Amino acid sequence: MDKYVCDVCGYVYDPSEGDPSQGIAPGTKFEDLPEDWVCPDCGVDKDNFSKLED
């Protein structure tokens, strides 16, 4: 599964870890995150994330 990085603060969303701080279970793809999900570090929305290239 693809990882995504926050363009504002550099936080990396790793689907294998999910986002426990917001109740997102491990294994949740970035595309499947709720529309109201925000970066846990800086609070910006999903539009401010880019796919992390290998």
Side-chain angles (χ1 to χ4, degrees):
M1 286 188 275
D2 295 321
K3 295 179 183 178
Y4 283 76
V5 62
C6 178
D7 299 327
V8 175
C9 74
Y11 168 83
V12 175
Y13 176 76
D14 183 345
S16 67
E17 296 176 9
D19 179 12
S21 70
Q22 296 186 67
I24 305 298
T28 303
K29 294 179 184 178
F30 185 82
E31 297 83 3
D32 295 336
L33 290 171
E35 285 303 313
D36 62 350
W37 181 84
V38 295
C39 176
D41 285 353
C42 71
V44 298
D45 61 27
K46 290 172 58 177
D47 293 339
N48 291 286
F49 277 73
S50 300
K51 184 176 174 181
L52 194 62
E53 300 299 327
D54 293 332

